[in-house]
Amino acid sequence: MPPRFTPERVRYDRRYRTLDKYRFIVGFLAVPLAFYALFVISPFLQAIYYSFTDWSGGPVANFVGFDNYQKMWNDDRFWDSLRVSTLLLVIAPVLTLVLGMFFAYMITSGGRHRRGRAIAGVAGSSLYKVVYFFPQVLSVAIIAVVWGRVFNTNSGLINGGLDKIGVDGPAWLGGDETLGLISLLIVISWSFVGFYVVLFSAAMGSVPQDIYEAALLDGAGRARTFFSVTLPLIWDAVRTGWIYMGIQALDTFAICLVMVPPHVLKVTPVFLYERFRDGQYGYATSIGVVLLVLSMVFSLIVMRVGNRDRIEY
Amino acid sequence: MTTTSTAAPRTGTSAAPRREKETGGALNVFSHAFLVLWVILAAGPLIWVALTAFRPSAEILSDPMGWPSSFHWENFSNAWNKANIGQYTLNSLIILAGSLTGTMLLGSMAAYVIARFTFPGNRVIFMLFAGGMMFPVILALVPLFAVMENFGLLDTRPGLMIAYIAYSLPFTTFFLTSFFRTLPTGVQEAAMVDGASHTRTFFQIMLPMAKPGLVSIGIFNFLGQWNQYLLPLLLNNEDEKSYVLPQGLASLAVSQGYRGDWGALFAGLTIAMVPVLVVYAVFQRQVQAGLTAGAIK
């Protein structure tokens, strides 16, 4: 009850105060928790259960043990999609992080001897950061449509440009799986590089200046400074970014669905979505579970491989 | 010329070792060229789309790299009216009005209670929300569809809003919890002593104090929900008239691909991209801070 209406008898009573506090807590948490439990947690738990059933949208779902997983094991289309997704998972993070790190290093430490500091950014670094980040604020669906036009065989930006210099461009999304995969990798990396530039710039910005000054006095060049000073000091951010990018690559869905014609290649989430469209609900959820397990395994591997002693500074 | 306050001798100005300049020259030019090249790569496709939106479709198909000979605005009116981009934009705005308000209100309420009150289960609830950030939406796809159907919320606006809210809550709550923890407690206690109720303290004292955090997460959620594609595809796919903007453009790309009316598609893409990029350019500092805070936990 609001203080104005609190009866005088209990106003200063500790028990009443406690009761009032709990009333408030429950009142504030009820709706957010209900939404969250009903639409996020419960579907997640149901998904794990349904992956062991033959549910197809009707009222009945029979428990069938590992049948769905067995089916997946023998399903060539699943393995095809998993090959594409795994390649994305392995290549996309390396490509994106290397580019992001290079640009971030140039932006934060590429310039030398400006403003009397041992190390400083190149001119125009804030503009670079803003423009590189553009793709991050657009919808993946829009990115997919834009790049679908860019890659278009006859009237796309790339082949149109190649025509100008007399080169006949290939059919990027016309059926060749390798070209399709390259196109996917280009788009995924393109859309995430800006994110990593900002992330790594922030990490590099927190490295104390005097370490750089010491390196400079010892005669370290720019590359040497990067590998011996910067990289070890921002390693935590690199590892986090690596895991995050891997999961993003594994979850690639909209870009593939909208941009790549279905006969060229499919990633596993698109294969899952098609099974859902066909009404194979149980099978679709089991593919989702496999994806979840894969992303967990990947995170653990990166944690292991990338485990170094923390450097305090 | 100011010197840094470190004890190291100044290596700045004219006393700099020349040696380094000589070896670094070629590398320097190359690196800078690469930085500029990426500006072109990052913005190029977007600028190409915006420029091409002013050209008639036939011209685009014959010469994709050309400049607009004159500014054709009819692509834009075609896109807005015939291709339903106007309708899709309106749908997106209606959904966002509900979902963003709901996300901010419910997220800040939950975060405030978790951050400022001790009660049994506090940690568990916080962990539940934090754990939700690691969770791939694609796994919940099928059961979520069924849950929505059972509640009669499939293909309805409230249903889509609730889904947006539910999937935005984990990060919003996580972010605001840590933000509320940093605010001073004295003000809250003073308000209680002055006889304000818990609810009133929250709305009149704490929310205004948390404004910087609310702005950051608000922009983050605005972009995230405005750009949503998977949830509308799943829960809002019955009637083409109810599509939100990204969904509408994706389906337009398929249909225009057959008809070859590229002009309207490019105009539609431009209409969808420009406002978001403008919002981002205005708030770029908060956006970058908000988006990267999600990755470094």
Side-chain angles (χ1 to χ4, degrees), chain A residues 29-111:
Chain A
L29 278 176
V31 179
L33 267 183
F35 275 14
Y36 188 56
L38 278 174
F39 299 105
V40 182
I41 299 175
S42 119
F44 176 68
L45 296 176
Q46 285 179 44
I48 293 169
Y49 166 73
Y50 282 131
S51 72
F52 295 103
T53 67
D54 63 358
W55 186 41
S56 56
V60 188
N62 300 308
F63 189 81
V64 292
F66 282 92
D67 278 12
N68 286 321
Y69 295 91
Q70 219 169 345
K71 185 169 163 188
M72 213 184 308
W73 186 261
N74 299 319
D75 193 336
D76 285 343
R77 295 167 310 170
F78 166 74
W79 288 109
D80 282 342
S81 79
L82 193 66
R83 198 184 64 243
V84 174
S85 275
T86 312
L87 282 169
L88 291 183
L89 171 76
V90 174
I91 305 171
V94 175
L95 195 63
T96 315
L97 262 66
V98 167
L99 279 171
M101 239 181 296
F102 171 75
F103 292 135
Y105 187 62
M106 285 300 297
I107 283 172
T108 52
S109 338

Side-chain angles (χ1 to χ4, degrees), chain A residues 6-306:
Chain A
T6 312
E8 202 59 47
R9 311 180 274 113
V10 296
R11 178 162 290 194
Y12 303 105
D13 187 333
R14 180 185 294 262
R15 277 169 310 179
Y16 171 77
R17 280 293 177 98
T18 314
L19 197 69
D20 189 54
K21 188 183 89 169
Y22 278 113
R23 194 181 52 86
F24 169 77
I25 291 172
V26 170
F28 257 40
L29 278 176
V31 179
L33 267 183
F35 275 14
Y36 188 56
L38 278 174
F39 299 105
V40 182
I41 299 175
S42 119
F44 176 68
L45 296 176
Q46 285 179 44
I48 293 169
Y49 166 73
Y50 282 131
S51 72
F52 295 103
T53 67
D54 63 358
W55 186 41
S56 56
V60 188
N62 300 308
F63 189 81
V64 292
F66 282 92
D67 278 12
N68 286 321
Y69 295 91
Q70 219 169 345
K71 185 169 163 188
M72 213 184 308
W73 186 261
N74 299 319
D75 193 336
D76 285 343
R77 295 167 310 170
F78 166 74
W79 288 109
D80 282 342
S81 79
L82 193 66
R83 198 184 64 243
V84 174
S85 275
T86 312
L87 282 169
L88 291 183
L89 171 76
V90 174
I91 305 171
V94 175
L95 195 63
T96 315
L97 262 66
V98 167
L99 279 171
M101 239 181 296
F102 171 75
F103 292 135
Y105 187 62
M106 285 300 297
I107 283 172
T108 52
S109 338
R112 280 264 165 108
H113 321 310
R114 289 170 62 226
R115 295 190 293 265
R117 299 167 63 170
I119 203 156
V122 293
S125 57
S126 53
L127 170 85
Y128 291 137
K129 255 200 266 190
V130 173
V131 175
Y132 291 178
F133 208 76
F134 272 177
Q136 270 292 297
V137 296
L138 297 175
S139 171
V140 275
I142 289 174
I143 287 175
V145 174
V146 168
W147 278 91
R149 300 296 137 202
V150 171
F151 282 127
N152 187 282
T153 310
N154 300 319
S155 42
L157 178 63
I158 296 180
N159 287 2
L162 288 173
D163 278 346
K164 287 247 190 280
I165 53 171
V167 179
D168 211 6
W172 293 97
L173 301 170
D176 185 87
E177 205 190 25
T178 315
L179 278 176
L181 188 70
I182 291 173
S183 309
L184 260 185
L185 276 170
I186 289 176
V187 178
I188 293 170
S189 297
W190 175 84
S191 59
F192 276 99
V193 162
F195 176 86
Y196 287 101
V197 170
V198 173
L199 186 74
F200 292 144
S201 299
M204 289 172 190
S206 64
V207 175
Q209 281 285 324
D210 46 357
I211 300 182
Y212 281 128
E213 299 203 351
L216 196 63
L217 283 175
D218 291 343
R222 199 178 295 160
R224 182 65 201 266
T225 309
F226 175 78
F227 286 106
S228 307
V229 179
T230 311
L231 191 58
L233 287 177
I234 64 161
W235 184 251
D236 264 358
V238 174
R239 197 174 60 173
T240 311
W242 191 2
I243 292 174
Y244 178 76
M245 189 66 220
I247 290 174
Q248 289 290 340
L250 202 58
D251 285 348
T252 299
F253 169 75
I255 291 178
C256 186
L257 187 74
V258 175
M259 186 180 87
V260 185
H263 66 274
V264 180
L265 58 84
K266 287 187 185 80
V267 290
T268 307
V270 171
F271 179 67
L272 186 162
Y273 181 73
E274 285 177 351
R275 301 287 71 76
F276 162 72
R277 277 266 159 263
D278 297 346
Q280 298 173 306
Y281 287 8
Y283 190 31
T285 47
S286 64
I287 299 165
V289 172
V290 168
L291 275 173
L292 178 71
V293 172
L294 269 180
S295 52
M296 283 177 172
V297 168
F298 169 79
S299 309
L300 285 174
I301 291 174
V302 173
M303 281 282 182
R304 265 296 147 90
V305 170

Side-chain angles (χ1 to χ4, degrees), chain B residues 57-141:
Chain B
S57 295
E59 232 181 83
I60 301 171
L61 293 173
S62 62
D63 176 22
M65 280 286 277
W67 288 91
S69 47
S70 60
F71 282 96
H72 290 265
W73 286 99
E74 65 266 28
N75 282 336
F76 285 86
S77 56
N78 277 348
W80 190 256
N81 301 317
K82 279 194 210 145
N84 286 332
I85 296 292
Q87 176 71 47
Y88 300 151
T89 308
L90 184 69
N91 291 340
S92 273
L93 285 172
I94 292 171
I95 298 288
L96 259 280
S99 63
L100 198 57
T101 316
T103 305
M104 297 305 292
L105 185 68
L106 296 178
S108 59
M109 277 161 58
Y112 174 67
V113 171
I114 293 169
R116 292 299 193 139
F117 290 85
T118 42
F119 56 92
N122 179 314
R123 293 288 304 158
V124 175
I125 291 175
F126 179 70
M127 284 299 175
L128 261 184
F129 278 119
M133 291 189 300
M134 311 296 294
F135 167 85
V137 184
I138 195 103
L139 176 55
L141 189 84

Side-chain angles (χ1 to χ4, degrees), chain B residues 205-255:
Chain B
I205 313 278
M206 297 314 285
L207 277 190
M209 277 174 69
K211 203 170 164 187
L214 291 173
V215 168
S216 286
I217 195 74
I219 296 167
F220 176 85
N221 280 324
F222 169 83
L223 285 171
Q225 295 181 356
W226 182 260
N227 291 333
Q228 241 320 323
Y229 178 71
L230 181 58
L231 287 174
L233 184 71
L234 178 73
L235 306 171
N236 186 30
N237 218 0
E238 201 56 44
D239 175 21
E240 214 168 298
K241 283 270 179 283
S242 70
Y243 281 1
V244 291
L245 197 50
Q247 199 184 3
L249 281 167
S251 81
L252 191 69
V254 174
S255 62

